[in-house]
Amino acid sequence: MRPEAQSDRPGSPRHVAMLVYRDAQMLDVAGPLEIFSRASRFVHERGGGTPPYRVEIVAKQAGPVAMSSGLEMVAARAIDEIDRVDTLLIAGGIGFAEAMADGELVPWVARQAKIARRTAAVCTGSFLLAAAGLLENRKVTTHWAYCDRLARAEPRCEVAADAIFVRDGALYSSAGVTAGMDLALALVEEDLGPALALMVAQALVMYVRRPGGQTQFSRQLEAQQRDDRFGRLHLWMMENLAATLRVEDLARQAGMSPRHFARCFSDRMGRTPADYLARLRLDHARRRIEDGGGNLKEVARSSGFGTEQTMRRAFLRELGIAPADYRERFVR
């Protein structure tokens, strides 16, 4: 049986500790902690007595810790001052590789994960879970750009490349940066219920549950970073979504024969030209809806779907939600 954390005692706030290190990502730290802090504030304001959470930043040594942004986060205590926490959070960031090799941080994470009620890694914080030997035969996720690297770091784990966040028993992990807030909100919902989680989501203007997975970002971000004909083609497609775009049109724009283009495009972009175009149109429609841009018929036309029915089928197939319901969820 998992030992009861000290902060689990009746009437005592749950202790949420965020582990940081040099060159961690500041938003990985501040975002999730704001979720827990905001939940505590709402409970207190509603006359709920003792705030449900006590949040704290910890590090190898107490004091200022330089983040990858060049700014500093202040660790209230050093890890050797921490006995037991309810929820251990581990930040991600470009400093994860150095942190993985730290002979004090990694064993501490391994020990805490055995006695904490739950352990959660944000973004590349998952690599510290791997270094601590916690991912064997476990399901996990991380930032889309690092999924393959995580699978190589711990071949015995299952990397869920499309997940916004993953729970495997008492072990949690999230995709990159803002997904840490999605994860923290889910933890609040587990503890305090959906009504309180919805209040926090509304206050911070975010989804209670974000529709879709992180592959909706990865392929297109990769394409936009390309300095080649496919990167330029991606931008051209974005500017011409409302037009009728056939493979022949795309091939002509890329300066290739249709057959050669279709083969090369699928190899480089991971989707057929038709599938890729459909995804661009879906994401364009999604953003138009989020921005309140026109009625659904106009959104379908400007996104290149042609009809509202065609757009609805694409939303249901890719996101599992109809456009009208998507709009309602976003503006609620």
Side-chain angles (χ1 to χ4, degrees), residues 8 47 50 82 94 104 168 215 298 328:
D8 282 341
T50 303
I82 306 299
I94 59 175
E104 294 181 45
D168 188 335
T215 53
E298 168 58 22
E328 181 180 356

Side-chain angles (χ1 to χ4, degrees), residues 89-101:
L89 305 175
I90 303 171
I94 59 175
F96 76 89
E98 182 179 347
M100 288 176 70

Side-chain angles (χ1 to χ4, degrees), residues 14-208:
R14 297 177 175 92
H15 183 192
V16 179
M18 172 69 77
L19 176 65
V20 302
Y21 45 85
R22 189 175 67 180
D23 286 333
Q25 164 66 248
M26 179 169 278
L27 191 55
D28 284 5
V29 180
L33 292 185
E34 179 63 26
I35 298 289
F36 290 105
S37 297
R38 191 65 63 102
S40 284
R41 186 191 311 171
F42 284 152
V43 170
H44 178 70
E45 290 173 351
R46 296 169 69 191
T50 303
Y53 300 111
R54 175 170 65 91
V55 302
E56 182 179 28
I57 297 175
V58 301
K60 186 175 178 180
Q61 296 178 332
V65 181
M67 300 288 101
S68 58
S69 63
L71 301 176
E72 293 180 334
M73 287 285 194
V74 178
R77 290 192 290 169
I79 56 175
D80 60 10
E81 300 177 62
I82 306 299
D83 179 21
R84 184 181 299 165
V85 302
D86 174 83
T87 301
L88 173 62
L89 305 175
I90 303 171
I94 59 175
F96 76 89
E98 182 179 347
M100 288 176 70
D102 192 298
E104 294 181 45
L105 278 185
V106 172
W108 183 83
V109 168
R111 290 193 300 271
Q112 281 294 325
K114 293 179 180 178
I115 59 177
R117 180 165 66 98
R118 59 193 178 194
T119 300
V122 180
C123 192
T124 50
S126 295
F127 283 85
L128 271 74
L129 299 181
L134 299 172
L135 294 186
E136 183 176 352
N137 300 320
R138 307 298 287 269
K139 187 174 182 179
V140 66
T141 193
T142 190
H143 188 289
W144 60 265
Y146 291 88
C147 285
D148 290 343
R149 182 169 173 176
L150 181 58
R152 292 193 298 270
E154 176 49 274
R156 297 165 295 182
C157 75
E158 177 188 349
V159 179
D162 192 36
I164 296 297
F165 62 84
V166 165
R167 176 185 181 180
D168 188 335
L171 203 65
Y172 300 73
S173 54
S174 81
V177 194
T178 58
M181 298 178 69
D182 295 272
L183 172 56
L185 193 61
L187 298 179
V188 167
E189 183 173 353
E190 282 185 9
D191 294 339
L192 306 176
L196 197 284
L198 178 59
M199 289 178 61
V200 174
Q202 289 174 328
L204 298 178
V205 195
M206 59 183 292
Y207 289 110
V208 177

